[in-house]
Amino acid sequence: MKYISTRGQAPAVTASQAILNGIAPDGGLYVPEHWPNLALDWSTLRTQTYSDLATLIFDAFFDDFSVSEIDHIINKAYGEQWTTEDIVSLHNEDDLTYIELFHGPTLAFKDIALQALPHLMTAAAKKQAINDKIVILTATSGDTGTAAMSGFGHVDQTEIVVFYPEEGVSDIQKQQMQSEAAENAHVIAITGNFDDAQKAVKTLLSDKALAHDLDAKNMRFSSANSINIGRLVPQIVYYIYAYAQLVKSERIKPGEEINIVVPTGNFGNVLAAYYASQIGLPVKQFVVASNENNVLTDFFTTGKYNSKRDFKVTNAPAMDILVSSNLERLLYFASGQNSTEIREYMTSLAEKGEYVLKTDTRDKLNKFTAGFASQEQVLQTIKHSRDTTDYTIDPHTAVGRYVYEKIAVSGPTLIAATASPYKFSQTVLQALNISPKSGHDALEQLAEATSTAIPNQISELFDKPVLHKQLIDAKQILTTLRHEIL
Ligand SMILES: *Cc1c(COP(=O)(O)O)cnc(C)c1O
């Protein structure tokens, strides 16, 4: 199976090349040329383990990897580092099922893909006879950085460099990053917000002299960002798995359509649900839930993407984003794989900060609905869920839960629970009207208030020494990076 660029001006490549390249040379995103034919049979799938299903999906999408390579990758990615053997777990409330995606090392859903990506990349490099060291460079509002370090930490032939904004990361996220002990991890704070950090990192990626010097030392940049197809495919697995489990527990009949609600930032997670539907998952409606950075709500309601607005730092920070990159992949399929049309949209977005969908393309998105939650509504939803069902949700999941109620979704519904409430203890405590302490004390407060146990992954987090204290100004990013890796 070949991967082609959404913008149609780059050569078709194999899965392993697409994973190594990250973004296509024409600036587009890699998409499968056609959907694999899997003929999903729920009576068989319902008996399979998470790893069985991961193998099935990886084999189908990454078809230039051998069976033993895929087995190795799955073993590495979905092993002892998870606190549940099934990798994800389901929590049911009437018609609604939360898929808890946060039982990995950093307590957020990005672990599911980022525990696999480093092994996909190193296997891909071997396959392409590339001996360069892979340098992963990321700007993070918190979750990507911690998950990327956990995935790439200690992986041979890689370096992982994380820049995070001084403002807007949670206590836990900061401690997770600052205490990262892997010898190949570099962690640096930048003054300002996420936007500032991201802009600074982008200047590095287009710096020709830097690229030249890396090359001279047999190093190359790659991306752990969710535009990498190696991050998207692992996320298809849990939608298939959750559906099979719903069939198994007879909450739905095989073939019955479900709704999928996803708290959304860069559009990766909800796109994975769409990909799952393209290979046979029966979906009635996709619900795209945003926080106050509600570009996508407006987009799905009006057909116009308008990024010209203020960036807001909210209490669901992993969804603070104004340009959702993976939307381009959805539009590519909605337009009937029309790369000319996609180039027009993306040029308009780059030049004017907006674009308007053609009617035909917009009509193809009729399964998508969208809504958003304000920060106050997030807090109320956390409290409401606790009070009415004893279930504690994190602020991102609360965005999804609020939108689910608001637009009155009916019928069996899956909602992606993207982070553990413990990862955002302070916001959750605030929602429960408890004035939050800091560090480990906040974890204890939350454990007591909710009669739940502090997850093992972070029970000793605050005992770990802080190893990374560097704080720089965005202007120093190039000198800092050179000093760290060259
Ligand atoms: C990254 C993240 C999201 C957004 O996911 P996308 O794939 O970028 O849409 C939502 N919730 C949490 C907790 C996250 O870390």
Side-chain angles (χ1 to χ4, degrees):
M1 187 160 84
K2 285 287 166 67
Y3 285 82
I4 50 178
S5 167
T6 48
R7 302 197 190 171
Q9 299 185 320
V13 296
T14 60
S16 59
Q17 287 168 325
I19 289 168
L20 281 177
N21 291 354
I23 195 160
D26 62 355
L29 306 187
Y30 286 115
V31 289
E33 203 168 26
H34 57 83
W35 300 110
N37 185 2
L38 282 166
L40 302 177
D41 170 12
W42 301 107
S43 61
T44 320
L45 297 178
R46 51 181 269 174
T47 63
Q48 305 211 316
T49 64
Y50 191 92
S51 292
D52 292 340
L53 291 185
T55 307
L56 177 80
I57 302 295
F58 282 39
D59 279 343
F61 279 90
F62 302 143
D63 68 351
D64 66 328
F65 288 77
S66 69
V67 169
S68 69
E69 282 168 335
I70 295 286
D71 283 349
H72 171 80
I73 293 162
I74 303 267
N75 281 334
K76 287 269 190 187
Y78 305 118
E80 306 262 290
Q81 69 271 49
W82 297 82
T83 52
T84 155
E85 214 180 308
D86 301 332
I87 309 303
V88 301
S89 62
L90 304 185
H91 172 87
N92 295 308
E93 277 175 17
D94 303 324
D95 261 356
L96 182 64
T97 300
Y98 291 88
I99 339 174
E100 297 182 350
L101 303 170
F102 51 74
H103 298 293
T106 73
L107 303 182
F109 91 96
K110 291 185 177 68
D111 285 333
I112 293 185
L114 280 164
Q115 290 296 308
L117 185 66
H119 307 291
L120 284 165
M121 265 188 192
T122 48
K126 239 184 234 151
K127 197 176 286 301
Q128 302 294 328
I130 289 167
N131 297 314
D132 290 0
K133 191 176 245 190
I134 296 167
V135 181
I136 300 292
L137 193 58
T138 121
T140 181
S141 58
D143 279 354
T144 305
T146 54
M149 271 191 298
S150 166
F152 282 91
H154 306 292
V155 174
D156 279 352
Q157 243 197 303
T158 70
E159 297 283 332
I160 163 87
V161 189
V162 171
F163 292 98
Y164 70 92
E166 195 193 8
E167 300 158 22
V169 295
S170 83
D171 241 29
I172 311 270
Q173 290 172 322
K174 191 178 231 175
Q175 177 68 13
Q176 280 175 327
M177 289 192 279
Q178 291 188 336
S179 65
E180 175 59 52
E183 70 298 334
N184 61 339
H186 310 264
V187 185
I188 299 121
I190 295 195
T191 46
N193 63 28
F194 174 61
D195 232 20
D196 302 323
Q198 193 167 37
K199 279 191 195 125
V201 166
K202 281 201 176 137
T203 64
L204 296 175
L205 291 170
S206 55
D207 191 306
K208 294 235 162 63
L210 177 63
H212 175 270
D213 292 350
L214 282 174
D215 191 47
K217 293 216 161 174
N218 295 324
M219 293 183 180
R220 59 160 71 199
F221 282 137
S222 192
S223 164
N225 183 298
S226 69
I227 52 130
N228 195 311
I229 193 76
R231 266 191 67 179
L232 205 50
V233 170
Q235 296 180 22
I236 297 171
V237 179
Y238 48 75
Y239 291 110
I240 306 281
Y241 177 77
Y243 188 93
Q245 293 301 305
L246 292 179
V247 170
K248 184 177 178 183
S249 61
E250 298 183 354
R251 297 183 70 86
I252 56 172
K253 296 192 189 65
E256 185 174 351
E257 287 189 332
I258 58 165
N259 307 299
I260 301 183
V261 181
V262 188
T264 303
N266 208 25
F267 211 77
N269 203 1
V270 63
L271 185 79
Y274 172 78
Y275 275 26
S277 75
Q278 296 304 302
I279 59 169
L281 184 75
V283 179
K284 186 160 106 196
Q285 207 179 170
F286 300 93
V287 180
V288 180
S290 302
N291 64 21
E292 286 169 7
N293 294 290
N294 57 358
V295 188
L296 290 169
T297 310
D298 293 347
F299 173 73
F300 283 103
T301 330
T302 66
K304 177 175 177 180
Y305 197 99
N306 181 356
S307 68
K308 292 177 298 184
R309 56 184 87 197
D310 289 337
F311 176 87
K312 294 189 182 152
V313 175
T314 75
N315 55 12
M319 295 157 60
D320 290 345
I321 191 160
L322 293 180
V323 176
S324 298
S325 313
N326 272 302
L327 184 62
E328 180 170 342
R329 286 187 163 114
L330 176 67
L331 299 183
Y332 179 74
F333 286 100
S335 68
Q337 306 189 288
N338 185 338
S339 52
T340 312
E341 185 178 326
I342 300 303
R343 284 203 303 278
E344 281 166 20
Y345 294 149
M346 294 304 137
T347 306
S348 173
L349 182 65
E351 287 171 1
K352 300 187 206 129
E354 60 179 37
Y355 59 88
V356 179
L357 280 191
K358 298 206 160 67
T359 316
D360 286 355
T361 301
R362 197 178 162 198
D363 290 346
K364 296 275 167 39
L365 299 178
N366 59 358
K367 284 197 173 185
F368 285 80
T369 37
F372 77 99
S374 70
Q375 300 193 62
E376 190 50 41
Q377 286 159 344
V378 164
L379 297 176
Q380 284 163 4
T381 305
I382 294 170
K383 176 94 169 71
H384 179 76
S385 172
R386 205 38 251 148
D387 288 348
T388 53
T389 63
D390 260 7
Y391 187 54
T392 315
I393 53 180
D394 99 289
H396 304 80
T397 309
V399 168
R401 173 71 208 230
Y402 176 83
V403 173
Y404 166 78
E405 297 276 355
K406 171 88 194 274
I407 64 180
V409 177
S410 70
T413 301
L414 278 179
I415 178 166
T418 52
S420 160
Y422 280 93
K423 193 157 190 183
F424 299 91
S425 298
Q426 284 164 334
T427 304
V428 175
L429 286 165
Q430 191 196 341
L432 303 180
N433 300 324
I434 298 166
S435 85
K437 297 182 183 162
S438 64
H440 189 78
D441 293 342
L443 303 179
E444 284 185 351
Q445 281 178 298
L446 189 58
E448 195 182 307
T450 60
S451 311
T452 56
I454 300 174
N456 284 341
Q457 295 94 322
I458 53 166
S459 58
E460 283 161 23
L461 178 65
F462 288 94
D463 300 335
K464 291 187 185 167
V466 167
L467 303 170
H468 309 278
K469 293 187 193 153
Q470 211 179 158
L471 170 66
I472 63 163
D473 191 82
K475 289 197 286 287
Q476 299 165 283
I477 193 164
L478 180 60
T479 345
T480 308
L481 181 80
R482 284 180 170 275
H483 176 77
E484 290 286 326
I485 60 167
L486 282 173

mmCIF file of all heavy atoms in Angstrom, residues 306-340:
data_model
loop_
_atom_site.group_PDB
_atom_site.id
_atom_site.type_symbol
_atom_site.label_atom_id
_atom_site.label_comp_id
_atom_site.label_asym_id
_atom_site.label_seq_id
_atom_site.Cartn_x
_atom_site.Cartn_y
_atom_site.Cartn_z
ATOM 1 N N ASN A 306 -11.906 29.653 9.977
ATOM 2 C CA ASN A 306 -11.385 30.987 10.244
ATOM 3 C C ASN A 306 -10.471 30.967 11.462
ATOM 4 O O ASN A 306 -10.932 30.887 12.592
ATOM 5 C CB ASN A 306 -12.547 31.955 10.460
ATOM 6 C CG ASN A 306 -12.051 33.369 10.706
ATOM 7 O OD1 ASN A 306 -10.847 33.605 10.788
ATOM 8 N ND2 ASN A 306 -12.981 34.296 10.828
ATOM 9 N N SER A 307 -9.155 31.038 11.197
ATOM 10 C CA SER A 307 -8.189 30.942 12.301
ATOM 11 C C SER A 307 -7.816 32.322 12.847
ATOM 12 O O SER A 307 -6.992 32.428 13.746
ATOM 13 C CB SER A 307 -6.931 30.221 11.823
ATOM 14 O OG SER A 307 -6.243 31.037 10.889
ATOM 15 N N LYS A 308 -8.427 33.365 12.282
ATOM 16 C CA LYS A 308 -8.060 34.720 12.710
ATOM 17 C C LYS A 308 -8.805 35.106 13.994
ATOM 18 O O LYS A 308 -9.849 35.739 13.952
ATOM 19 C CB LYS A 308 -8.388 35.723 11.602
ATOM 20 C CG LYS A 308 -7.507 35.539 10.381
ATOM 21 C CD LYS A 308 -7.894 36.499 9.283
ATOM 22 C CE LYS A 308 -9.316 36.236 8.827
ATOM 23 N NZ LYS A 308 -9.746 37.060 7.700
ATOM 24 N N ARG A 309 -8.303 34.673 15.085
ATOM 25 C CA ARG A 309 -8.907 34.994 16.369
ATOM 26 C C ARG A 309 -7.842 34.837 17.441
ATOM 27 O O ARG A 309 -6.775 34.286 17.174
ATOM 28 C CB ARG A 309 -10.100 34.075 16.646
ATOM 29 C CG ARG A 309 -9.732 32.607 16.586
ATOM 30 C CD ARG A 309 -10.949 31.720 16.771
ATOM 31 N NE ARG A 309 -11.637 31.450 15.516
ATOM 32 C CZ ARG A 309 -12.879 30.982 15.442
ATOM 33 N NH1 ARG A 309 -13.572 30.740 16.533
ATOM 34 N NH2 ARG A 309 -13.433 30.748 14.269
ATOM 35 N N ASP A 310 -8.122 35.302 18.646
ATOM 36 C CA ASP A 310 -7.121 35.209 19.705
ATOM 37 C C ASP A 310 -6.978 33.776 20.191
ATOM 38 O O ASP A 310 -7.965 33.055 20.331
ATOM 39 C CB ASP A 310 -7.500 36.107 20.888
ATOM 40 C CG ASP A 310 -7.329 37.574 20.523
ATOM 41 O OD1 ASP A 310 -6.539 37.846 19.585
ATOM 42 O OD2 ASP A 310 -7.992 38.426 21.150
ATOM 43 N N PHE A 311 -5.745 33.407 20.452
ATOM 44 C CA PHE A 311 -5.439 32.106 21.033
ATOM 45 C C PHE A 311 -5.728 32.180 22.534
ATOM 46 O O PHE A 311 -5.275 33.086 23.207
ATOM 47 C CB PHE A 311 -3.956 31.809 20.783
ATOM 48 C CG PHE A 311 -3.455 30.540 21.398
ATOM 49 C CD1 PHE A 311 -3.554 29.342 20.715
ATOM 50 C CD2 PHE A 311 -2.884 30.541 22.668
ATOM 51 C CE1 PHE A 311 -3.078 28.162 21.278
ATOM 52 C CE2 PHE A 311 -2.421 29.360 23.242
ATOM 53 C CZ PHE A 311 -2.515 28.176 22.546
ATOM 54 N N LYS A 312 -6.515 31.226 23.032
ATOM 55 C CA LYS A 312 -6.848 31.262 24.457
ATOM 56 C C LYS A 312 -6.152 30.134 25.217
ATOM 57 O O LYS A 312 -6.170 28.988 24.769
ATOM 58 C CB LYS A 312 -8.352 31.129 24.648
ATOM 59 C CG LYS A 312 -9.087 32.312 24.082
ATOM 60 C CD LYS A 312 -10.552 32.296 24.449
ATOM 61 C CE LYS A 312 -11.224 33.492 23.785
ATOM 62 N NZ LYS A 312 -12.633 33.240 23.507
ATOM 63 N N VAL A 313 -5.560 30.473 26.339
ATOM 64 C CA VAL A 313 -5.004 29.440 27.215
ATOM 65 C C VAL A 313 -6.145 29.009 28.142
ATOM 66 O O VAL A 313 -6.665 29.790 28.910
ATOM 67 C CB VAL A 313 -3.822 29.987 28.045
ATOM 68 C CG1 VAL A 313 -3.334 28.933 29.041
ATOM 69 C CG2 VAL A 313 -2.672 30.401 27.126
ATOM 70 N N THR A 314 -6.579 27.734 28.007
ATOM 71 C CA THR A 314 -7.751 27.275 28.756
ATOM 72 C C THR A 314 -7.391 26.190 29.769
ATOM 73 O O THR A 314 -6.245 25.752 29.841
ATOM 74 C CB THR A 314 -8.825 26.688 27.812
ATOM 75 O OG1 THR A 314 -8.382 25.389 27.382
ATOM 76 C CG2 THR A 314 -9.068 27.565 26.595
ATOM 77 N N ASN A 315 -8.402 25.731 30.481
ATOM 78 C CA ASN A 315 -8.174 24.656 31.456
ATOM 79 C C ASN A 315 -8.188 23.262 30.818
ATOM 80 O O ASN A 315 -8.052 22.265 31.514
ATOM 81 C CB ASN A 315 -9.164 24.757 32.628
ATOM 82 C CG ASN A 315 -10.620 24.781 32.169
ATOM 83 O OD1 ASN A 315 -10.915 24.510 31.005
ATOM 84 N ND2 ASN A 315 -11.533 25.093 33.081
ATOM 85 N N ALA A 316 -8.350 23.190 29.498
ATOM 86 C CA ALA A 316 -8.145 21.923 28.766
ATOM 87 C C ALA A 316 -7.026 22.199 27.756
ATOM 88 O O ALA A 316 -7.246 22.241 26.545
ATOM 89 C CB ALA A 316 -9.430 21.475 28.075
ATOM 90 N N PRO A 317 -5.797 22.415 28.245
ATOM 91 C CA PRO A 317 -4.731 23.018 27.439
ATOM 92 C C PRO A 317 -4.273 22.179 26.253
ATOM 93 O O PRO A 317 -3.766 22.733 25.273
ATOM 94 C CB PRO A 317 -3.582 23.209 28.440
ATOM 95 C CG PRO A 317 -3.848 22.221 29.538
ATOM 96 C CD PRO A 317 -5.350 22.112 29.619
ATOM 97 N N ALA A 318 -4.456 20.848 26.318
ATOM 98 C CA ALA A 318 -3.987 20.022 25.198
ATOM 99 C C ALA A 318 -4.848 20.239 23.953
ATOM 100 O O ALA A 318 -4.548 19.704 22.888
ATOM 101 C CB ALA A 318 -3.971 18.551 25.595
ATOM 102 N N MET A 319 -5.925 20.996 24.114
ATOM 103 C CA MET A 319 -6.790 21.285 22.969
ATOM 104 C C MET A 319 -6.739 22.757 22.573
ATOM 105 O O MET A 319 -7.551 23.212 21.782
ATOM 106 C CB MET A 319 -8.236 20.905 23.315
ATOM 107 C CG MET A 319 -8.395 19.408 23.523
ATOM 108 S SD MET A 319 -9.817 19.001 24.542
ATOM 109 C CE MET A 319 -11.136 19.697 23.580
ATOM 110 N N ASP A 320 -5.775 23.480 23.139
ATOM 111 C CA ASP A 320 -5.625 24.894 22.776
ATOM 112 C C ASP A 320 -4.891 24.981 21.452
ATOM 113 O O ASP A 320 -3.667 24.838 21.391
ATOM 114 C CB ASP A 320 -4.826 25.649 23.852
ATOM 115 C CG ASP A 320 -5.596 25.805 25.154
ATOM 116 O OD1 ASP A 320 -6.826 25.601 25.150
ATOM 117 O OD2 ASP A 320 -4.960 26.137 26.168
ATOM 118 N N ILE A 321 -5.634 25.191 20.387
ATOM 119 C CA ILE A 321 -5.011 25.190 19.063
ATOM 120 C C ILE A 321 -5.939 25.915 18.092
ATOM 121 O O ILE A 321 -7.156 25.842 18.231
ATOM 122 C CB ILE A 321 -4.723 23.722 18.640
ATOM 123 C CG1 ILE A 321 -3.834 23.635 17.417
ATOM 124 C CG2 ILE A 321 -5.987 22.937 18.416
ATOM 125 C CD1 ILE A 321 -3.166 22.284 17.277
ATOM 126 N N LEU A 322 -5.347 26.632 17.143
ATOM 127 C CA LEU A 322 -6.179 27.365 16.191
ATOM 128 C C LEU A 322 -6.132 26.749 14.789
ATOM 129 O O LEU A 322 -7.053 26.943 14.003
ATOM 130 C CB LEU A 322 -5.750 28.838 16.116
ATOM 131 C CG LEU A 322 -5.987 29.662 17.391
ATOM 132 C CD1 LEU A 322 -5.519 31.107 17.194
ATOM 133 C CD2 LEU A 322 -7.461 29.646 17.810
ATOM 134 N N VAL A 323 -5.062 26.036 14.495
ATOM 135 C CA VAL A 323 -4.997 25.370 13.192
ATOM 136 C C VAL A 323 -4.873 23.867 13.421
ATOM 137 O O VAL A 323 -3.846 23.377 13.862
ATOM 138 C CB VAL A 323 -3.817 25.900 12.346
ATOM 139 C CG1 VAL A 323 -3.712 25.120 11.048
ATOM 140 C CG2 VAL A 323 -4.011 27.388 12.034
ATOM 141 N N SER A 324 -5.943 23.139 13.152
ATOM 142 C CA SER A 324 -5.979 21.697 13.381
ATOM 143 C C SER A 324 -5.471 20.984 12.142
ATOM 144 O O SER A 324 -6.211 20.772 11.171
ATOM 145 C CB SER A 324 -7.416 21.259 13.683
ATOM 146 O OG SER A 324 -7.859 21.890 14.860
ATOM 147 N N SER A 325 -4.203 20.612 12.159
ATOM 148 C CA SER A 325 -3.533 20.129 10.938
ATOM 149 C C SER A 325 -4.199 18.933 10.287
ATOM 150 O O SER A 325 -4.292 18.859 9.068
ATOM 151 C CB SER A 325 -2.092 19.740 11.248
ATOM 152 O OG SER A 325 -1.468 20.736 11.996
ATOM 153 N N ASN A 326 -4.640 17.982 11.115
ATOM 154 C CA ASN A 326 -5.153 16.746 10.527
ATOM 155 C C ASN A 326 -6.488 16.885 9.804
ATOM 156 O O ASN A 326 -6.908 15.971 9.100
ATOM 157 C CB ASN A 326 -5.268 15.663 11.603
ATOM 158 C CG ASN A 326 -3.975 14.894 11.750
ATOM 159 O OD1 ASN A 326 -3.496 14.301 10.778
ATOM 160 N ND2 ASN A 326 -3.397 14.916 12.937
ATOM 161 N N LEU A 327 -7.131 18.025 9.954
ATOM 162 C CA LEU A 327 -8.371 18.262 9.224
ATOM 163 C C LEU A 327 -8.138 18.135 7.715
ATOM 164 O O LEU A 327 -9.011 17.696 6.962
ATOM 165 C CB LEU A 327 -8.890 19.667 9.570
ATOM 166 C CG LEU A 327 -10.229 20.064 8.979
ATOM 167 C CD1 LEU A 327 -11.344 19.159 9.469
ATOM 168 C CD2 LEU A 327 -10.541 21.521 9.337
ATOM 169 N N GLU A 328 -6.932 18.503 7.298
ATOM 170 C CA GLU A 328 -6.584 18.420 5.870
ATOM 171 C C GLU A 328 -6.815 17.001 5.332
ATOM 172 O O GLU A 328 -7.236 16.824 4.186
ATOM 173 C CB GLU A 328 -5.108 18.845 5.699
ATOM 174 C CG GLU A 328 -4.623 18.806 4.271
ATOM 175 C CD GLU A 328 -3.241 19.464 4.101
ATOM 176 O OE1 GLU A 328 -2.798 20.240 4.984
ATOM 177 O OE2 GLU A 328 -2.601 19.189 3.066
ATOM 178 N N ARG A 329 -6.528 16.006 6.172
ATOM 179 C CA ARG A 329 -6.717 14.621 5.712
ATOM 180 C C ARG A 329 -8.195 14.291 5.525
ATOM 181 O O ARG A 329 -8.572 13.574 4.602
ATOM 182 C CB ARG A 329 -6.103 13.653 6.711
ATOM 183 C CG ARG A 329 -4.589 13.599 6.678
ATOM 184 C CD ARG A 329 -4.086 12.480 7.575
ATOM 185 N NE ARG A 329 -2.715 12.116 7.289
ATOM 186 C CZ ARG A 329 -1.691 12.287 8.139
ATOM 187 N NH1 ARG A 329 -1.887 12.826 9.332
ATOM 188 N NH2 ARG A 329 -0.478 11.918 7.796
ATOM 189 N N LEU A 330 -9.037 14.798 6.393
ATOM 190 C CA LEU A 330 -10.471 14.553 6.252
ATOM 191 C C LEU A 330 -10.991 15.229 4.979
ATOM 192 O O LEU A 330 -11.737 14.635 4.200
ATOM 193 C CB LEU A 330 -11.227 15.094 7.475
ATOM 194 C CG LEU A 330 -12.749 14.975 7.396
ATOM 195 C CD1 LEU A 330 -13.180 13.505 7.423
ATOM 196 C CD2 LEU A 330 -13.414 15.739 8.536
ATOM 197 N N LEU A 331 -10.556 16.465 4.766
ATOM 198 C CA LEU A 331 -11.033 17.213 3.598
ATOM 199 C C LEU A 331 -10.588 16.553 2.302
ATOM 200 O O LEU A 331 -11.292 16.582 1.297
ATOM 201 C CB LEU A 331 -10.540 18.659 3.662
ATOM 202 C CG LEU A 331 -11.037 19.438 4.881
ATOM 203 C CD1 LEU A 331 -10.551 20.880 4.832
ATOM 204 C CD2 LEU A 331 -12.566 19.385 4.987
ATOM 205 N N TYR A 332 -9.413 15.942 2.346
ATOM 206 C CA TYR A 332 -8.924 15.252 1.165
ATOM 207 C C TYR A 332 -9.913 14.160 0.744
ATOM 208 O O TYR A 332 -10.281 14.056 -0.432
ATOM 209 C CB TYR A 332 -7.537 14.657 1.464
ATOM 210 C CG TYR A 332 -6.958 13.897 0.311
ATOM 211 C CD1 TYR A 332 -6.452 14.574 -0.796
ATOM 212 C CD2 TYR A 332 -6.932 12.507 0.316
ATOM 213 C CE1 TYR A 332 -5.923 13.875 -1.865
ATOM 214 C CE2 TYR A 332 -6.400 11.807 -0.748
ATOM 215 C CZ TYR A 332 -5.904 12.498 -1.840
ATOM 216 O OH TYR A 332 -5.397 11.807 -2.900
ATOM 217 N N PHE A 333 -10.373 13.382 1.697
ATOM 218 C CA PHE A 333 -11.325 12.324 1.340
ATOM 219 C C PHE A 333 -12.700 12.905 1.020
ATOM 220 O O PHE A 333 -13.366 12.456 0.091
ATOM 221 C CB PHE A 333 -11.379 11.252 2.430
ATOM 222 C CG PHE A 333 -10.152 10.397 2.408
ATOM 223 C CD1 PHE A 333 -9.116 10.608 3.305
ATOM 224 C CD2 PHE A 333 -9.997 9.417 1.429
ATOM 225 C CE1 PHE A 333 -7.948 9.847 3.240
ATOM 226 C CE2 PHE A 333 -8.833 8.655 1.351
ATOM 227 C CZ PHE A 333 -7.811 8.875 2.260
ATOM 228 N N ALA A 334 -13.109 13.940 1.771
ATOM 229 C CA ALA A 334 -14.424 14.543 1.520
ATOM 230 C C ALA A 334 -14.485 15.176 0.125
ATOM 231 O O ALA A 334 -15.542 15.214 -0.502
ATOM 232 C CB ALA A 334 -14.742 15.578 2.599
ATOM 233 N N SER A 335 -13.349 15.654 -0.366
ATOM 234 C CA SER A 335 -13.335 16.308 -1.683
ATOM 235 C C SER A 335 -13.228 15.284 -2.817
ATOM 236 O O SER A 335 -13.086 15.662 -3.982
ATOM 237 C CB SER A 335 -12.150 17.277 -1.770
ATOM 238 O OG SER A 335 -10.930 16.548 -1.776
ATOM 239 N N GLY A 336 -13.262 14.003 -2.484
ATOM 240 C CA GLY A 336 -13.088 12.980 -3.511
ATOM 241 C C GLY A 336 -11.630 12.905 -3.948
ATOM 242 O O GLY A 336 -11.335 12.788 -5.126
ATOM 243 N N GLN A 337 -10.715 13.020 -2.999
ATOM 244 C CA GLN A 337 -9.267 12.947 -3.230
ATOM 245 C C GLN A 337 -8.808 13.981 -4.255
ATOM 246 O O GLN A 337 -8.016 13.695 -5.143
ATOM 247 C CB GLN A 337 -8.866 11.524 -3.636
ATOM 248 C CG GLN A 337 -9.369 10.506 -2.608
ATOM 249 C CD GLN A 337 -8.835 9.116 -2.833
ATOM 250 O OE1 GLN A 337 -9.234 8.450 -3.763
ATOM 251 N NE2 GLN A 337 -7.944 8.662 -1.983
ATOM 252 N N ASN A 338 -9.313 15.186 -4.066
ATOM 253 C CA ASN A 338 -9.017 16.266 -5.004
ATOM 254 C C ASN A 338 -7.901 17.157 -4.444
ATOM 255 O O ASN A 338 -8.157 18.092 -3.686
ATOM 256 C CB ASN A 338 -10.309 17.067 -5.235
ATOM 257 C CG ASN A 338 -10.128 18.137 -6.290
ATOM 258 O OD1 ASN A 338 -9.006 18.561 -6.568
ATOM 259 N ND2 ASN A 338 -11.232 18.583 -6.857
ATOM 260 N N SER A 339 -6.666 16.847 -4.836
ATOM 261 C CA SER A 339 -5.541 17.571 -4.225
ATOM 262 C C SER A 339 -5.475 19.033 -4.678
ATOM 263 O O SER A 339 -4.949 19.882 -3.966
ATOM 264 C CB SER A 339 -4.218 16.843 -4.496
ATOM 265 O OG SER A 339 -4.074 16.599 -5.860
ATOM 266 N N THR A 340 -6.022 19.333 -5.852
ATOM 267 C CA THR A 340 -6.049 20.732 -6.296
ATOM 268 C C THR A 340 -6.907 21.557 -5.342
ATOM 269 O O THR A 340 -6.524 22.655 -4.919
ATOM 270 C CB THR A 340 -6.633 20.824 -7.727
ATOM 271 O OG1 THR A 340 -5.988 19.846 -8.536
ATOM 272 C CG2 THR A 340 -6.455 22.202 -8.308
#
